[in-house]
Amino acid sequence: MMGLLSTIRGKKDKDGQALGAAQIGPIASKTKKLVIAELPKMLAEKPDLFTVIWLRSAQRSTSIKLAFGISLDENPENNEAFVAFSSTIQSFFHKLIVTYELDDELVVTSCEQLGARHVDFISRGFHSHFWDIFMVCMAETIDETLSSYMHDDEKRNEMIIAWQRVVNAIVHHMREGYSERRKQELGAKNGS
């Protein structure tokens, strides 16, 4: 898990190379096939998978709650608009995994565009570290879901690693789009 997070956060080794960079490059064909084949099985086992992930994210971060206008004493599960947003997240993952079949170019483009749009939410309290919280919640929920029906430890571990690589790539490219737009906007602001 820590390797996954250090890769996303852009940590470098003593030689200046990104830690876990192999997980950020193009997604391996075998990894794609595993994730594409498993998503429908996971959703059959846990239809509310993305809702659980989304709610866990809010439960772990008061900043996420505040960014979505949820008061600190409010339960995110009781906020219909917040819960409904999980279907948007699920649709995005469905598009990348099922519709685009994790095509590298389409994944990069879609994720960078979505990441860039997140700059619009900075004024509402968004911070890119929210993605780290989301990734941890996603990893935990996927692990729990796979563990509920996959009893072969070796196959389950292979699937967990495949999902971590895919989620890692998705968030990495979102972060790239976000960072690039921030640089452009700061550059434009400083140039005027």
Side-chain angles (χ1 to χ4, degrees):
M1 181 70 67
M2 292 313 293
L4 178 68
L5 292 178
S6 64
T7 299
I8 291 299
R9 290 185 183 135
K11 302 246 177 174
K12 305 215 187 269
D13 66 15
K14 62 182 172 79
D15 298 320
Q17 297 297 310
L19 292 172
Q23 293 180 5
I24 296 176
I27 302 167
S29 179
K30 181 178 180 181
T31 298
K32 290 178 184 182
K33 288 177 185 175
L34 286 170
V35 170
I36 291 167
E38 203 62 34
L39 180 61
K41 296 174 193 173
M42 287 175 39
L43 290 173
E45 179 69 22
K46 189 173 215 53
D48 62 345
L49 177 76
F50 288 92
T51 302
V52 170
I53 293 165
W54 187 231
L55 289 171
R56 283 184 179 181
S57 298
Q59 291 162 350
R60 290 219 172 133
S61 171
T62 55
S63 297
I64 290 174
K65 287 174 70 171
L66 294 173
F68 279 85
I70 300 171
S71 65
L72 294 178
D73 60 345
E74 182 181 357
N75 183 343
E77 291 179 39
N78 298 332
N79 186 303
E80 286 183 39
F82 184 80
V83 174
F85 191 73
S86 66
S87 66
T88 302
I89 297 167
Q90 181 170 336
S91 294
F92 182 70
F93 276 86
H94 183 273
K95 178 175 75 170
L96 297 178
I97 296 168
V98 176
T99 306
Y100 293 166
E101 297 180 331
L102 293 171
D103 174 271
D104 294 315
E105 188 175 321
L106 294 173
V107 167
V108 169
T109 301
S110 295
C111 292
E112 286 181 351
Q113 288 173 351
L114 181 58
R117 285 197 305 266
H118 277 72
V119 171
D120 296 333
F121 306 120
I122 292 171
S123 63
R124 292 180 56 188
F126 174 79
H127 191 281
S128 62
H129 74 271
F130 290 180
W131 288 321
D132 294 334
I133 296 165
F134 179 80
M135 277 189 356
V136 169
C137 294
M138 189 156 193
E140 289 173 355
T141 307
I142 287 172
D143 188 354
E144 291 167 12
T145 304
L146 293 172
S147 295
S148 70
Y149 69 90
M150 255 187 170
H151 304 293
D152 180 323
D153 289 343
E154 190 174 321
K155 288 187 184 288
R156 184 177 62 245
N157 289 337
E158 179 181 39
M159 187 62 66
I160 288 168
I161 290 169
W163 271 96
Q164 286 178 345
R165 287 181 176 153
V166 168
V167 173
N168 183 9
I170 289 169
V171 174
H172 171 77
H173 295 304
M174 287 178 66
R175 196 178 300 274
E176 289 292 309
Y178 175 85
S179 295
E180 186 58 35
R181 182 167 170 211
R182 291 272 295 159
K183 285 181 202 171
Q184 289 172 355
E185 288 189 1
L186 290 172
K189 186 188 282 187
N190 292 336
S192 26

